[in-house]
Amino acid sequence: MINVFRRTLYRARAAIYKFGFKLIPRRKPLLLLGVDSAKRLCASIAHLGYRRVLIVSDKPLIALGSIDPLRIELAGLGIEVFVYDGVQPDPTDIVVFGGANI
């Protein structure tokens, strides 16, 4: 009897949450696709007024130069860029704290 009551209560609460979340206004996420989407991302970052950006990557992508076009574009827009390249697969809290200290 208690389990039936508890299950009914949980379902009622879930229904209220589902209805309530529909009433909360949400912004549509910015989606950038296609050619020059990275440049458009940089322009969007500048348009939103950000002045400092942290790029989180791993050492192989940095070595390949994949991040350089973003750094150059952001610097050209007057945005200070910091790069954290200590990411590893399945990172631990030590890796996260290392990035937070930049």
Side-chain angles (χ1 to χ4, degrees):
M1 178 67 177
I2 293 176
N3 287 338
V4 172
F5 176 72
R6 191 176 277 168
R7 188 178 330 142
T8 304
L9 181 65
Y10 289 149
R11 287 184 181 173
R13 186 169 36 175
I16 291 170
Y17 286 152
K18 185 177 180 180
F19 176 73
F21 284 134
K22 289 182 181 180
L23 298 176
I24 298 171
R26 292 176 283 174
R27 288 190 293 167
K28 191 173 184 177
L30 176 65
L31 181 63
L32 302 171
L33 300 171
V35 178
D36 290 335
S37 58
K39 285 187 178 185
R40 288 184 282 142
L41 172 64
C42 294
S44 296
I45 290 170
H47 178 72
L48 290 171
Y50 293 106
R51 294 290 158 228
R52 296 171 43 181
V53 173
L54 172 64
I55 297 175
V56 179
S57 183
D58 59 358
K59 290 185 191 316
L61 282 179
I62 300 294
L64 288 172
S66 299
I67 306 300
D68 292 340
L70 291 174
R71 292 173 73 174
I72 292 168
E73 186 71 24
L74 288 168
L77 294 169
I79 298 173
E80 192 174 3
V81 179
F82 301 93
V83 177
Y84 177 63
D85 63 354
V87 176
Q88 304 166 0
D90 298 325
T92 63
D93 58 342
I94 295 168
V95 174
V96 174
F97 290 132
N101 288 331
I102 289 184

